[in-house]
Amino acid sequence: MLRAVLAGAITHFSASGSFKPPRPLLLLNASRLSTSREPVAGGDGESEGEDDPFSFPDHQQLPADVVRGVDAVVAAAEGSHADATRARTLLERCGAAASETLVVAALSRLRNSWAAAHAAFLWAAAQPDYAPGRHACHSMLAILAKHRRFDDARALLDEMRRKSLASPRAVLLLVRRYCAARDVTRAIAAFHALPSFGFEPGVAQFHGLLSALCRYKNVQDAEHLLLSSEKEFPFETKSFNIVLNGWCNMVCSVREAKRFWTAMEVRGIERDVASYGSMISCFSKAGSLDSVLKLFNGMKEAGIVPDRKVYNAVVYALAKGRCVDEAKALVRSMEERGTPPDTATYNSLIGPLCKARQVQEATQMFDEMIGRGLLASVRTFHALFDVATSPSEVFDVLDKMKTLHCEPEIDTYIMLIRKFCRWRQHDSVEKLWSAMPTNGLNPDRSAYIVLIHGLFLNGKLEEAAKYYEEMKAKGFPPEQKTESMIQAWLTGRELAKASASVGSRSGSVSLGLNPRKR
């Protein structure tokens, strides 16, 4: 029955009104391969990097003298161990000449340690021949806000206003980070403070606030704000779609999504392809393939043509439901309609196949994707890492990433360190940890916590304690669980040392008081 419904859906949306056999795939130039980011299969379509939107320069493309300067600044800032006085001294002696390019590149390297980044920024700002520009200020603001140093971030934003460097984008960055911290009151207050920076909040900024609230699961607050702001921002489909997407893809609540979907109809809000895409994605993630196909067919009845995101969500639902042949057929149908599959389409196949441990099928889809010249993404490789069963397989996939110019991210290393710790492959853990700086990444708080727990559970107690101290020295607060675990071990170690010391002294006294009788 399900396959019959699916065949009908594919037929409805094929170019000629009937399904055609798949045509051979075209092999494109492999030199086009590079890193790609795409939305989560069946997801909201937002960029993964939206909460850190200010681009950082590629370290490898900088002039040699700038690279040397960046290396010197990073080494000095990291060598201070969050000691502001020591940082200032080391940076003054590093010999680098501050420039906008150097500062932004250094902040990129230091973005996982707010204290080191802030020290470098303050050093640069104090140089007589340099004043931080908008890019450097935005980069520093992004780092402070990401690490929830909100007082410092607001102070910097005020300084940017005085120097005419502020922008709505900078304010919305702060709004997003307040939303990430679940501080809805301050997020909305920052939005309403836009006029004090010389900007009148428009529909685009209002949509940015709604998106930020929804992205970090403050969807109920976003819905309340939307409904209570009708006079200032009249209702429109896009505003409602943002909140609908929050219920569908952030909270992933079928019940709330259905309720809001009905509310749109009651209020006379027209539902478009993005509305259907959110609902299809929600049912896709919930594993309700029947509902996905009903909505997919319902789009035709409503005269709405599906876009690539809708197709990708349906492909994901089919692959997740073990209807792989039908998912492949729909991919071919996309192409028949002039909507060629992209990286996200193939990831919608590869991810579920890997989760189902159909590794051979997943590998075939990967090879087909590469054969089309599509851009490899980190998400693709994460799915392949998940099904790797040995260290050699993991490093083979890492080599493939390098060949295809797809750089690992912090999350990649965290995933693999956790995997190697489970396998008790301590040498591989050290190899990965050492490789991070080589790829321009510095470990963040999450990476340290995963490493410390992995080492501790593998009996590498001294090493776990060493990284624990290093993490604190960089200004990363430990989790309560990590703190309790390490402190309990340190206490036990000190008690053992004290006991051994007392036992040793007692033994010496005993020998003195009880000489052997001859």
Side-chain angles (χ1 to χ4, degrees):
M1 178 63 183
L2 178 60
R3 295 178 187 274
V5 173
L6 173 61
I10 293 175
T11 300
H12 286 158
F13 289 107
S14 65
S16 63
S18 60
F19 180 68
K20 295 181 179 180
R23 62 190 180 192
L25 295 173
L26 300 177
L27 295 179
L28 303 179
N29 191 338
S31 65
R32 292 174 52 198
L33 297 168
S34 63
T35 301
S36 166
R37 288 184 177 276
E38 82 293 334
V40 179
D44 63 340
E46 290 185 13
S47 167
E48 291 177 3
E50 188 176 340
D51 60 341
D52 188 15
F54 305 112
S55 60
F56 293 105
D58 187 335
H59 193 64
Q60 295 179 344
Q61 295 177 359
L62 297 175
D65 60 328
V66 175
V67 172
R68 287 192 295 271
V70 171
D71 290 340
V73 169
V74 170
E78 288 186 327
S80 65
H81 296 294
D83 183 330
T85 303
R86 176 174 168 77
R88 190 162 50 249
T89 302
L90 291 174
L91 285 162
E92 289 294 345
R93 295 174 180 173
C94 76
S99 68
E100 189 77 352
T101 302
L102 180 144
V103 172
V104 174
L107 292 178
S108 172
R109 291 267 300 276
L110 296 167
R111 63 185 179 271
N112 288 326
S113 175
W114 75 266
H118 202 204
F121 182 79
L122 294 176
W123 161 79
Q127 301 309 299
D129 299 326
Y130 171 74
R134 176 169 289 177
H135 197 174
C137 289
H138 277 176
S139 299
M140 189 67 246
L141 182 67
I143 294 167
L144 290 171
K146 178 182 177 182
H147 291 277
R148 303 188 182 183
R149 304 290 301 184
F150 292 121
D151 290 343
D152 292 326
R154 187 55 194 258
L156 176 57
L157 195 56
D158 288 338
E159 182 67 18
M160 291 169 67
R161 173 174 53 184
R162 286 191 288 273
K163 294 182 178 180
S164 300
L165 295 174
S167 67
R169 197 179 183 196
V171 177
L172 287 176
L173 184 147
L174 196 56
V175 166
R176 280 198 298 276
R177 298 319 302 176
Y178 279 134
C179 291
R182 310 301 291 272
D183 192 339
V184 174
T185 300
R186 287 213 280 181
I188 295 174
F191 171 77
H192 287 305
L194 273 166
S196 68
F197 290 89
F199 311 111
E200 284 301 320
V203 173
Q205 285 74 43
F206 182 61
H207 287 168
L209 173 59
L210 291 178
S211 295
L213 288 168
C214 290
R215 180 170 186 173
Y216 296 103
K217 301 187 179 181
N218 306 292
V219 185
Q220 188 172 356
D221 296 297
E223 182 176 338
H224 175 75
L225 181 66
L226 168 65
L227 298 179
S228 62
S229 302
E230 184 178 9
K231 289 184 179 179
E232 189 177 2
F233 301 103
F235 290 163
E236 60 177 4
T237 298
K238 185 171 181 179
S239 303
F240 276 78
N241 279 348
I242 291 170
V243 176
L244 177 64
N245 180 68
W247 288 125
C248 289
N249 290 309
M250 301 304 157
V251 178
C252 299
S253 169
V254 170
R255 182 175 64 84
E256 293 292 346
K258 285 181 175 179
R259 176 191 61 77
F260 195 75
W261 176 263
T262 302
M264 290 177 69
E265 182 177 23
V266 170
R267 292 177 180 274
I269 306 298
E270 184 179 357
R271 296 182 293 208
D272 60 10
V273 65
S275 313
Y276 275 93
S278 290
M279 288 298 288
I280 287 173
S281 172
C282 186
F283 285 119
S284 176
K285 290 177 179 178
S288 181
L289 184 53
D290 284 341
S291 297
V292 167
L293 297 178
K294 285 177 184 176
L295 276 168
F296 192 46
N297 282 321
M299 291 184 70
K300 178 180 184 296
E301 296 170 5
I304 298 172
V305 178
D307 60 10
R308 185 179 282 110
K309 291 176 184 176
V310 170
Y311 277 122
N312 290 349
V314 178
V315 168
Y316 177 79
L318 289 167
K320 186 177 178 181
R322 306 294 180 92
C323 297
V324 178
D325 290 339
E326 288 78 4
K328 291 179 181 178
L330 186 57
V331 170
R332 269 66 176 197
S333 179
M334 289 173 62
E335 198 159 23
E336 293 286 342
R337 294 205 77 258
T339 305
D342 62 0
T343 301
T345 310
Y346 277 95
N347 284 350
S348 297
L349 282 163
I350 293 168
L353 287 171
C354 286
K355 285 187 179 297
R357 293 300 186 262
Q358 294 178 253
V359 180
Q360 186 174 355
E361 288 266 19
T363 303
Q364 288 174 356
M365 289 296 99
F366 177 84
D367 291 340
E368 183 176 305
M369 178 181 74
I370 299 305
R372 297 179 67 95
L374 289 171
L375 306 177
S377 76
V378 172
R379 190 176 305 282
T380 317
F381 287 103
H382 281 192
L384 298 177
F385 283 129
D386 189 51
V387 293
T389 57
S390 68
S392 61
E393 284 187 30
V394 168
F395 285 109
D396 284 345
V397 176
L398 277 171
D399 288 342
K400 190 172 291 186
M401 284 187 80
K402 184 176 180 180
T403 301
L404 298 179
H405 310 292
C406 182
E407 296 298 331
E409 299 175 347
I410 283 289
D411 286 345
T412 310
Y413 287 102
I414 289 174
M415 173 188 189
L416 296 181
I417 286 169
R418 186 180 283 117
K419 195 178 198 63
F420 281 131
C421 284
R422 276 202 316 269
W423 290 343
R424 299 185 178 277
Q425 294 287 329
H426 181 63
D427 289 343
S428 296
V429 170
E430 287 292 337
K431 183 177 178 180
L432 285 172
W433 190 263
S434 301
M436 272 192 269
T438 306
N439 287 312
L441 297 171
N442 287 329
D444 60 8
R445 178 175 181 261
S446 297
Y448 271 105
I449 288 171
V450 167
L451 177 66
I452 291 165
H453 279 265
L455 291 172
F456 197 87
L457 294 174
N458 277 279
K460 304 288 184 179
L461 309 182
E462 294 285 352
E463 291 181 47
K466 181 192 76 172
Y467 284 112
Y468 169 78
E469 294 300 331
E470 184 178 296
M471 176 181 71
K472 290 202 302 181
K474 288 187 175 182
F476 298 134
E479 285 184 340
Q480 183 59 47
K481 180 180 177 182
T482 310
E483 177 84 13
S484 300
M485 180 180 73
I486 295 293
Q487 290 302 328
W489 175 72
L490 290 173
T491 300
R493 186 182 66 174
E494 292 305 313
L495 286 173
K497 285 181 179 179
S499 176
S501 177
V502 169
S504 176
R505 289 197 300 271
S506 298
S508 299
V509 171
S510 174
L511 286 173
L513 292 175
N514 299 289
R516 183 184 299 176
K517 293 183 180 179
R518 296 184 180 276

